[in-house]
Amino acid sequence: MRNNDLDKLFALAGEAKREATWQGFADYLEQHGKGIRKKALVTLNRFIDDAVLWTFTERLRFSLWLLNALNNDALVQPLKERLVIPTLREWKDREPLQAEPYLWLGLLGIDQMFHIRRALELDPKCQRARAKLCEWVTGHISYNQHELPSFYIHDPRVDLLDLAEAEALCVGYEETDWAIWTLAEIKEQRELAEAWLRNHPRLGDFASH
């Protein structure tokens, strides 16, 4: 583990120590940072055993603190599966018109596009949902176009519709540099799709895998 990662880990442990009921998680972070992996996992599971019995409000406060403090990919599986995701699902059920639980579930990869799109329906200005959907569209189309000029995977007409949606989501995005870069990528992908259609105008003239 790099020094920068260790610093972040111990800083997070310091924050957790401020809450009496989070001490077990702080212990886990410190043990993990010191390389005591087996003991750390035992400590983590013991903490989760206690945490799942907290009130919904306590579980949600911890889960949101953790989600905002860590990269989603850094969430260890037991914590995510046993505590964070069940808490987010309960939040969604309790407040079905609140965008944030849908957003977090989507960002954690749970039925991703359904939850991201639902978050956008509930809050069209949700910047993280807009960004994630744009990334998904451009990533998917990048795959569809990666065999060009030999062949195009999927229907480029559908890709053009998806690119129009992604372009609309970029408008008004707060991070201007990100929007400029994404719009440039969308422009390039649109040109490739349109060029394929000019040279292959017949319906179904694309690969289906």
Side-chain angles (χ1 to χ4, degrees):
M1 188 176 289
R2 294 173 297 181
N3 288 338
N4 190 42
D5 293 332
L6 283 173
D7 290 342
K8 290 179 180 177
L9 205 63
F10 288 123
L12 197 62
E15 288 183 35
K17 284 182 179 179
R18 297 172 192 164
E19 301 283 340
T21 54
W22 298 4
Q23 182 62 51
F25 186 65
D27 292 341
Y28 156 74
L29 292 172
E30 290 182 340
Q31 291 164 4
H32 184 73
K34 292 174 182 177
I36 314 171
R37 303 298 173 82
K38 190 172 182 179
K39 184 177 180 180
L41 186 58
V42 171
T43 301
L44 176 63
N45 280 315
R46 187 180 299 125
F47 167 76
I48 296 172
D49 288 342
D50 291 337
V52 295
L53 301 177
W54 294 346
T55 66
F56 168 72
T57 301
E58 291 171 324
R59 285 184 284 111
L60 181 60
R61 189 165 73 89
F62 175 79
S63 296
L64 289 177
W65 169 79
L66 190 62
L67 288 166
N68 284 297
L70 286 177
N71 180 294
N72 294 339
D73 294 333
L75 278 176
V76 291
Q77 200 70 9
L79 196 60
K80 184 163 64 174
E81 295 296 333
R82 293 182 57 200
L83 181 60
V84 176
I85 290 175
T87 300
L88 292 173
R89 290 188 188 279
E90 184 175 348
W91 186 16
K92 181 186 72 170
D93 292 340
R94 285 170 176 258
E95 300 183 62
L97 299 182
Q98 168 68 259
E100 195 172 357
Y102 292 94
L103 171 66
W104 282 118
L105 286 167
L107 292 176
L108 289 173
I110 308 301
D111 201 358
Q112 190 174 53
M113 283 303 104
F114 166 78
H115 283 119
I116 293 296
R117 287 187 181 279
R118 183 57 178 155
L120 271 175
E121 289 173 7
L122 294 169
D123 180 7
K125 294 181 180 180
C126 180
Q127 301 294 338
R128 295 188 72 174
R130 292 167 71 177
K132 191 65 180 178
L133 185 55
C134 283
E135 289 170 10
W136 183 82
V137 167
T138 55
H140 183 71
I141 293 174
S142 178
Y143 172 78
N144 291 345
Q145 297 178 341
H146 82 279
E147 293 289 353
L148 291 174
S150 299
F151 59 88
Y152 199 110
I153 300 171
H154 194 56
D155 190 340
R157 295 168 183 82
V158 174
D159 283 355
L160 287 172
L161 293 174
D162 289 342
L163 287 169
E165 179 185 20
E167 186 175 48
L169 291 170
C170 287
V171 176
Y173 197 84
E174 292 171 358
E175 296 183 34
T176 305
D177 290 342
W178 178 88
I180 290 171
W181 184 89
T182 303
L183 286 168
E185 186 177 20
I186 289 170
K187 181 175 182 290
E188 180 180 349
Q189 291 182 337
R190 178 182 286 123
E191 288 172 353
L192 289 172
E194 290 174 342
W196 178 270
L197 287 173
R198 282 195 301 272
N199 295 320
H200 306 81
R202 291 184 303 169
L203 287 173
D205 197 353
F206 55 88
S208 59
H209 63 279

